[in-house]
Amino acid sequence: AKTHPTKNYLFYMSSMTEHLLTISKFDNDLKHAIENDEFILHYQPQINLHSNAIIGMEALVRWQHPVKGLLSPYNFIARAEETRLIIPLGLFIFKKALEQAKRWQDENFFNGIIAINISNVQIEEEDFIEQIEAIRQKIEVSALSIELEVTESSFMNNPMQSSKTLQKLENLGYKISIDDFGTGYSSLSYLKQLPLHKLKIDRSFIRDLPRDRDDQAISKAIIALGKTLELEVLAEGVETEEQKAFLIDNGCDSMQGFLFAKPMSAEALESFLHQN
Ligand code: C2E
Ligand code: CA
Ligand code: CA
Ligand code: CA
């Protein structure tokens, strides 16, 4: 039977409005959460596969929601990007991570790299570098100990501008890594042109190692590519000894994953590492 167009339209409208209302309440919550200091950072160690030393700590944000509890970034980062609230949130994350790095350096607990996820929206923001540099200089952490994790899609919208931004960051001493490597749509030619330090093999290619033949081929190819281009290669989401052994056998440099440690609060991580 033919449906009535007006009726459908009205139905569509009312469900749209409902949707918009939920979204705007969420946006408001998100905005207040930034003001109310409801975001916390967890940290996950990155391990050198040859020495087993901790080379880095990746900062991963969580929202300590007053009603919903601890929220994963999957619940709010995408929306924060759409609304551009990721700009203030991203600066807050950068500041928190540097303050933590500074404390760990002062206590001589950890002197390695602090890795911070940076959204495309931040990279494309005109005064991104000025803003993070102001924070960095105030906290007095060397750019040499900061790694910015960006995704392949960061170069897709405006390759010229983003490559300039990355070049400036590199000149200032920051390290740049490509997160979720292998899942984007970028051509490989940019790898030569951009000032990169590290490729992070996406977790989806690690999960079914060493069993899955396709994943074997893909992870080996990424490791070989990294070697040729003189980039460090880190495997994400390593959960088993078998995965780790496969990565060592195939020349991967470093790993991150539940096998060594889950992301934890700074305090939890400190006691975890003291016990081990
Ligand atoms: P990502 O940057 O790829 O981070 C790795 C994610 O994998 C983290 O999820 C981490 O908890 C999880 N993970 C680590 N090891 C394992 C493992 O062995 N097995 C499994 N199954 N998972 C593992 P998380 O913390 O929920 O973060 C999800 C995503 O949210 C991140 O993916 C990143 O894209 C984004 N994100 C997190 N923190 C930030 C941030 O501060 N800023 C921005 N812009 N994005 C962030
Ligand atoms: Ca990351
Ligand atoms: Ca990743
Ligand atoms: Ca990922």
Side-chain angles (χ1 to χ4, degrees), residues 67-83:
V67 182
K68 298 177 191 163
L70 199 63
L71 295 182
S72 136
Y74 292 118
N75 297 126
F76 58 87
I77 289 290
R79 186 59 192 161
E81 290 177 336
E82 280 163 29
T83 55

Side-chain angles (χ1 to χ4, degrees), residues 78-102:
R79 186 59 192 161
E81 290 177 336
E82 280 163 29
T83 55
R84 301 186 62 80
L85 285 169
I86 193 71
I87 301 289
L89 177 58
L91 289 173
F92 174 87
I93 291 166
F94 187 84
K95 177 166 170 280
K96 280 264 170 160
L98 263 59
E99 285 168 350
Q100 187 59 59
K102 179 71 176 171

Side-chain angles (χ1 to χ4, degrees), residues 179-218:
D179 211 346
D180 307 334
F181 186 74
T183 62
Y185 297 94
S186 49
S187 81
L188 295 177
S189 65
Y190 77 89
L191 287 177
K192 284 193 309 200
Q193 293 150 17
L194 296 176
L196 304 175
H197 173 73
K198 186 188 283 175
L199 302 179
K200 297 187 75 177
I201 309 177
D202 191 66
R203 195 168 83 215
S204 59
F205 303 123
I206 305 298
R207 191 179 46 224
D208 298 325
L209 288 179
R211 190 176 39 78
D212 188 287
R213 297 292 298 262
D214 297 329
D215 291 334
Q216 285 183 15
I218 292 169

Side-chain angles (χ1 to χ4, degrees), residues 42-275:
H42 279 184
Y43 297 88
Q44 187 180 36
Q46 304 178 329
I47 310 297
N48 181 298
L49 278 167
H50 309 291
S51 65
N52 280 317
I54 299 178
I55 51 171
M57 298 284 193
E58 179 178 0
L60 294 154
V61 68
R62 277 94 184 85
W63 180 356
Q64 189 77 67
H65 194 284
V67 182
K68 298 177 191 163
L70 199 63
L71 295 182
S72 136
Y74 292 118
N75 297 126
F76 58 87
I77 289 290
R79 186 59 192 161
E81 290 177 336
E82 280 163 29
T83 55
R84 301 186 62 80
L85 285 169
I86 193 71
I87 301 289
L89 177 58
L91 289 173
F92 174 87
I93 291 166
F94 187 84
K95 177 166 170 280
K96 280 264 170 160
L98 263 59
E99 285 168 350
Q100 187 59 59
K102 179 71 176 171
R103 271 196 295 276
W104 280 338
Q105 285 169 9
D106 289 348
E107 294 161 7
N108 224 342
F109 172 74
F110 174 69
N111 282 304
I113 298 291
I114 185 94
I116 304 169
N117 292 283
I118 302 293
S119 149
N120 307 344
V121 178
Q122 291 175 273
I123 288 283
E124 287 164 18
E125 171 83 348
E126 205 175 324
D127 46 8
F128 172 67
I129 295 183
E130 271 166 60
Q131 290 179 327
I132 64 167
E133 272 295 282
I135 295 170
R136 189 188 66 75
Q137 284 162 14
K138 194 156 168 228
I139 301 175
E140 298 185 306
V141 172
S142 164
L144 295 171
S145 56
I146 305 172
E147 185 161 295
L148 304 177
E149 298 196 358
V150 303
T151 57
E152 290 166 82
S153 51
S154 300
F155 321 120
M156 298 313 289
N157 294 344
N158 193 339
M160 287 286 279
Q161 194 215 333
S162 14
S163 89
K164 265 191 204 147
T165 303
L166 295 187
Q167 195 59 63
K168 273 189 212 156
L169 288 166
E170 138 106 337
N171 294 344
L172 288 164
Y174 290 90
K175 296 179 175 65
I176 314 282
S177 65
I178 308 272
D179 211 346
D180 307 334
F181 186 74
T183 62
Y185 297 94
S186 49
S187 81
L188 295 177
S189 65
Y190 77 89
L191 287 177
K192 284 193 309 200
Q193 293 150 17
L194 296 176
L196 304 175
H197 173 73
K198 186 188 283 175
L199 302 179
K200 297 187 75 177
I201 309 177
D202 191 66
R203 195 168 83 215
S204 59
F205 303 123
I206 305 298
R207 191 179 46 224
D208 298 325
L209 288 179
R211 190 176 39 78
D212 188 287
R213 297 292 298 262
D214 297 329
D215 291 334
Q216 285 183 15
I218 292 169
S219 51
K220 283 187 196 178
I222 296 176
I223 294 166
L225 182 67
K227 281 240 153 70
T228 310
L229 297 170
E230 294 180 317
L231 301 173
E232 207 181 300
V233 179
L234 177 145
E236 292 190 313
V238 177
E239 296 183 354
T240 70
E241 290 293 348
E242 291 73 26
Q243 291 168 342
K244 183 181 173 185
F246 176 90
L247 293 162
I248 292 173
D249 287 348
N250 288 285
C252 189
D253 303 299
S254 50
M255 68 159 205
Q256 189 178 345
F258 296 171
L259 177 64
F260 183 81
K262 291 197 171 182
M264 301 175 231
S265 70
E267 304 75 56
L269 189 61
E270 285 161 26
S271 49
F272 172 82
L273 292 177
H274 278 129
Q275 282 160 21

